[in-house]
PDB file of all heavy atoms in Angstrom:
ATOM      1  N   LYS K 256      -9.624 -23.174  -6.467  1.00 52.00           N
ATOM      2  CA  LYS K 256      -8.507 -24.039  -6.221  1.00 52.00           C
ATOM      3  C   LYS K 256      -7.438 -23.305  -5.480  1.00 52.00           C
ATOM      4  O   LYS K 256      -6.549 -23.995  -4.868  1.00 52.00           O
ATOM      5  CB  LYS K 256      -7.916 -24.439  -7.604  1.00 52.00           C
ATOM      6  CG  LYS K 256      -7.616 -23.342  -8.605  1.00 52.00           C
ATOM      7  CD  LYS K 256      -7.166 -23.872  -9.891  1.00 52.00           C
ATOM      8  CE  LYS K 256      -6.959 -22.826 -10.903  1.00 52.00           C
ATOM      9  NZ  LYS K 256      -8.102 -22.068 -11.286  1.00 52.00           N
ATOM     10  N   VAL K 280     -13.601 -26.660  -6.194  1.00 65.00           N
ATOM     11  CA  VAL K 280     -12.764 -27.001  -7.325  1.00 65.00           C
ATOM     12  C   VAL K 280     -11.460 -27.487  -6.852  1.00 65.00           C
ATOM     13  O   VAL K 280     -10.872 -27.001  -5.905  1.00 65.00           O
ATOM     14  CB  VAL K 280     -12.544 -25.723  -8.230  1.00 65.00           C
ATOM     15  CG1 VAL K 280     -11.557 -26.060  -9.379  1.00 65.00           C
ATOM     16  CG2 VAL K 280     -13.854 -25.196  -8.767  1.00 65.00           C
ATOM     17  N   SER K 281     -10.884 -28.524  -7.536  1.00 61.00           N
ATOM     18  CA  SER K 281      -9.669 -29.094  -7.143  1.00 61.00           C
ATOM     19  C   SER K 281      -8.798 -29.221  -8.327  1.00 61.00           C
ATOM     20  O   SER K 281      -9.298 -29.470  -9.438  1.00 61.00           O
ATOM     21  CB  SER K 281      -9.931 -30.469  -6.463  1.00 61.00           C
ATOM     22  OG  SER K 281      -8.602 -31.046  -6.122  1.00 61.00           O
ATOM     23  N   VAL K 282      -7.472 -29.238  -8.132  1.00 50.00           N
ATOM     24  CA  VAL K 282      -6.541 -29.332  -9.247  1.00 50.00           C
ATOM     25  C   VAL K 282      -5.831 -30.670  -9.119  1.00 50.00           C
ATOM     26  O   VAL K 282      -5.236 -30.987  -8.076  1.00 50.00           O
ATOM     27  CB  VAL K 282      -5.527 -28.219  -9.242  1.00 50.00           C
ATOM     28  CG1 VAL K 282      -4.494 -28.388 -10.343  1.00 50.00           C
ATOM     29  CG2 VAL K 282      -6.204 -26.800  -9.409  1.00 50.00           C
ATOM     30  N   GLY K 283      -5.856 -31.450 -10.174  1.00 55.00           N
ATOM     31  CA  GLY K 283      -5.091 -32.690 -10.181  1.00 55.00           C
ATOM     32  C   GLY K 283      -5.852 -33.836  -9.552  1.00 55.00           C
ATOM     33  O   GLY K 283      -6.877 -33.733  -8.943  1.00 55.00           O
ATOM     34  N   PRO K 284      -5.278 -35.008  -9.585  1.00 57.00           N
ATOM     35  CA  PRO K 284      -5.877 -36.246  -9.045  1.00 57.00           C
ATOM     36  C   PRO K 284      -5.628 -36.428  -7.574  1.00 57.00           C
ATOM     37  O   PRO K 284      -4.779 -37.147  -7.148  1.00 57.00           O
ATOM     38  CB  PRO K 284      -5.130 -37.332  -9.835  1.00 57.00           C
ATOM     39  CG  PRO K 284      -3.869 -36.794 -10.162  1.00 57.00           C
ATOM     40  CD  PRO K 284      -4.034 -35.316 -10.326  1.00 57.00           C
ATOM     41  N   ASN K 285      -6.330 -35.605  -6.760  1.00 64.00           N
ATOM     42  CA  ASN K 285      -6.104 -35.704  -5.241  1.00 64.00           C
ATOM     43  C   ASN K 285      -7.454 -36.057  -4.624  1.00 64.00           C
ATOM     44  O   ASN K 285      -7.917 -35.409  -3.691  1.00 64.00           O
ATOM     45  CB  ASN K 285      -5.599 -34.401  -4.768  1.00 64.00           C
ATOM     46  CG  ASN K 285      -6.466 -33.196  -5.183  1.00 64.00           C
ATOM     47  OD1 ASN K 285      -7.332 -33.364  -6.015  1.00 64.00           O
ATOM     48  ND2 ASN K 285      -6.202 -32.047  -4.573  1.00 64.00           N
ATOM     49  N   GLU K 307      -9.831 -30.026 -12.175  1.00 53.00           N
ATOM     50  CA  GLU K 307      -9.072 -29.431 -13.246  1.00 53.00           C
ATOM     51  C   GLU K 307      -7.780 -30.132 -13.388  1.00 53.00           C
ATOM     52  O   GLU K 307      -7.136 -30.484 -12.387  1.00 53.00           O
ATOM     53  CB  GLU K 307      -8.862 -27.852 -13.108  1.00 53.00           C
ATOM     54  CG  GLU K 307     -10.253 -27.108 -13.010  1.00 53.00           C
ATOM     55  CD  GLU K 307     -10.027 -25.622 -12.923  1.00 53.00           C
ATOM     56  OE1 GLU K 307      -8.784 -25.263 -12.814  1.00 53.00           O
ATOM     57  OE2 GLU K 307     -10.985 -24.876 -12.927  1.00 53.00           O
ATOM     58  N   PHE K 309      -3.926 -30.003 -15.578  1.00 38.00           N
ATOM     59  CA  PHE K 309      -2.987 -29.202 -16.357  1.00 38.00           C
ATOM     60  C   PHE K 309      -1.992 -30.126 -17.042  1.00 38.00           C
ATOM     61  O   PHE K 309      -1.411 -31.000 -16.338  1.00 38.00           O
ATOM     62  CB  PHE K 309      -2.278 -28.168 -15.509  1.00 38.00           C
ATOM     63  CG  PHE K 309      -3.155 -27.092 -14.937  1.00 38.00           C
ATOM     64  CD1 PHE K 309      -3.729 -27.256 -13.664  1.00 38.00           C
ATOM     65  CD2 PHE K 309      -3.413 -25.980 -15.721  1.00 38.00           C
ATOM     66  CE1 PHE K 309      -4.513 -26.200 -13.226  1.00 38.00           C
ATOM     67  CE2 PHE K 309      -4.241 -25.023 -15.239  1.00 38.00           C
ATOM     68  CZ  PHE K 309      -4.784 -25.133 -13.957  1.00 38.00           C
TER      69      PHE K 309
END
Side-chain angles (χ1 to χ4, degrees):
K256 53 184 177 297
V280 175
S281 178
V282 178
N285 54 350
E307 296 183 358
F309 291 93

